[in-house]
């Protein structure tokens, strides 16, 4: 499933294609909304934004909400380009004079009234978004200090979009490694320095992997690793998918676990 940085990058592409532009052609294949497709026509897109893992496309009278879950995908093409043939089904295609944005295979798609957005069950539960520049370290610490999080383990909380919105599987492992925290630690066991590290690393890594797609290691280290022949996939992370290989910091072998069936890798020495 894509994580915050990937969703925000998709939003930025869609924003460039749609924001301030008029919809000149529309295709809706969702039975629920087929008879409302003309509501898109000749309307201007006011704003495109990602919230957690959801995409919001704002028109003046409604907001198109979509959450990609496992299989959903947005594509953006020049309008003249034919839609690619692949094993995904088209849900919605929005065309401006120059571009077509298509949403494929997603099942969670809604046309919301503008006032319904903040109360939508997914949006309302989201914690602070770690990818957007407005979120601060202090805001994350204040949020994690809430009573409901205290007894929970970091390995569970870091996949909970109500804790830090935008963190997913690879970021969970990478944030815990760079914050030097064992995945089994609870929030209540963290001292002030550890909370600060957790918040700072969550922001730093999410923003770096937004700007430099999916790379969480120091960029200098990344270049060195590429220079000695490692592939992008082998060089991009500190610990994630690096199980049984030596830690870049201490040389200890990285361990692999699967809490809740989702991969989590960590260094037993740096994160003791
Ligand atoms: Zn280590």
């Amino acid at each position: 499933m894509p994580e915050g940085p990937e969703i925000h990058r998709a939003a930025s592409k869609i924003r460039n294609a749609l924001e301030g532009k008029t919809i000149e052609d529309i295709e809706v294949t969702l039975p629920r909304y087929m008879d409302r497709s003309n509501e898109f026509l000749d309307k201007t897109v006011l704003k495109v934004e990602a919230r957690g893992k959801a995409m919001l496309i704002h028109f003046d009278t409604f907001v198109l909400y979509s959450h990609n879950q496992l299989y959903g995908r947005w594509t953006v093409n020049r309008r003249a380009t034919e839609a690619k043939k692949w094993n995904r089904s088209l849900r919605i295609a929005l065309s401006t004079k120059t571009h077509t944005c298509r949403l494929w295979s997603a099942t969670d798609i809604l046309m919301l009234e503008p006032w319904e957005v903040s109360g939508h069950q997914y949006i309302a539960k989201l914690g602070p978004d770690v990818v957007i520049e407005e979120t601060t370290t202090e805001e994350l610490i204040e949020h994690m200090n809430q009573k409901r999080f205290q007894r929970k383990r970091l390995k569970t909380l870091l996949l909970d979009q109500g804790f830090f919105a935008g963190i997913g599987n690879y970021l969970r492992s990478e944030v815990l490694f760079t914050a030097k925290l064992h995945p089994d630690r609870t929030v209540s066991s963290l001292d002030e320095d550890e909370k600060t590290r957790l918040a700072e690393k969550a922001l730093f890594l999410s923003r770096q992997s937004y700007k430099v797609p999916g790379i969480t290691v120091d960029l200098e280290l990344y270049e060195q690793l590429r220079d000695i022949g490692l592939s992008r996939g082998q060089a991009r992370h500190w610990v994630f998918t690096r199980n049984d290989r030596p830690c870049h910091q201490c040389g200890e072998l990285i361990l692999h676990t699967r809490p809740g069936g989702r991969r989590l890798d960590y260094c037993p020495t740096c994160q003791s």
Side-chain angles (χ1 to χ4, degrees), residues 57-227:
I57 300 180
H58 296 259
F59 294 85
D60 61 349
T61 51
F62 67 94
V63 178
L64 179 65
Y65 165 98
S66 61
H67 188 302
N68 278 352
Q69 309 292 0
L70 278 180
Y71 302 107
R73 188 78 66 84
W74 279 97
T75 56
V76 179
N77 296 101
R78 302 286 303 178
R79 189 166 166 186
T81 312
E82 252 188 63
K84 65 167 144 184
K85 304 265 178 285
W86 58 349
N87 58 352
R88 293 171 196 268
S89 17
L90 182 69
R91 305 293 189 213
I92 290 188
L94 299 158
S95 298
T96 66
K97 189 189 276 295
T98 54
H99 286 83
T100 301
C101 296
R102 297 179 177 90
L103 176 57
W104 305 85
S105 296
T107 47
D108 195 2
I109 303 168
L110 292 168
M111 288 171 74
L112 297 174
E113 301 285 328
W115 57 268
E116 289 178 312
V117 173
S118 60
H120 178 273
Q121 54 163 351
Y122 175 77
I123 302 282
K125 284 191 197 140
L126 286 177
D129 190 312
V130 288
V131 184
I132 60 171
E133 292 294 339
E134 290 78 12
T135 305
T136 62
T137 306
E138 293 71 32
E139 192 180 343
L140 292 188
I141 294 173
E142 196 183 318
H143 187 72
M144 80 173 88
N145 280 337
Q146 290 176 61
K147 200 171 167 197
R148 62 189 168 123
F149 297 130
Q150 298 312 303
R151 288 163 161 273
K152 296 206 169 142
R153 294 180 194 281
L154 297 178
K155 66 182 178 190
T156 310
L157 282 177
L158 284 174
L159 289 189
D160 174 355
Q161 299 303 296
F163 188 62
F164 295 169
I167 304 269
N169 227 26
Y170 75 81
L171 282 170
R172 168 174 71 168
S173 290
E174 298 293 287
V175 167
L176 287 173
F177 174 79
T178 50
K180 299 187 183 345
L181 295 169
H182 191 281
D184 285 334
R185 295 284 299 276
T186 58
V187 174
S188 63
S189 78
L190 303 179
D191 64 26
E192 290 310 309
D193 283 349
E194 290 172 327
K195 284 180 185 172
T196 305
R197 280 207 312 265
L198 178 61
E200 285 178 350
K201 298 302 180 186
L203 294 178
F204 179 79
L205 288 190
S206 307
R207 288 164 190 179
Q208 176 176 306
S209 48
Y210 169 72
K211 290 179 197 131
V212 194
I215 295 173
T216 46
V217 290
D218 277 352
L219 299 178
E220 210 171 298
L221 172 63
Y222 179 76
E223 292 307 329
Q224 287 168 12
L225 295 172
R226 292 304 305 267
D227 285 347

Side-chain angles (χ1 to χ4, degrees), residues 177 247 249-252 267 269-270:
F177 174 79
C247 172
Q249 302 277 26
C250 74
E252 183 72 73
C267 171
T269 304
C270 295

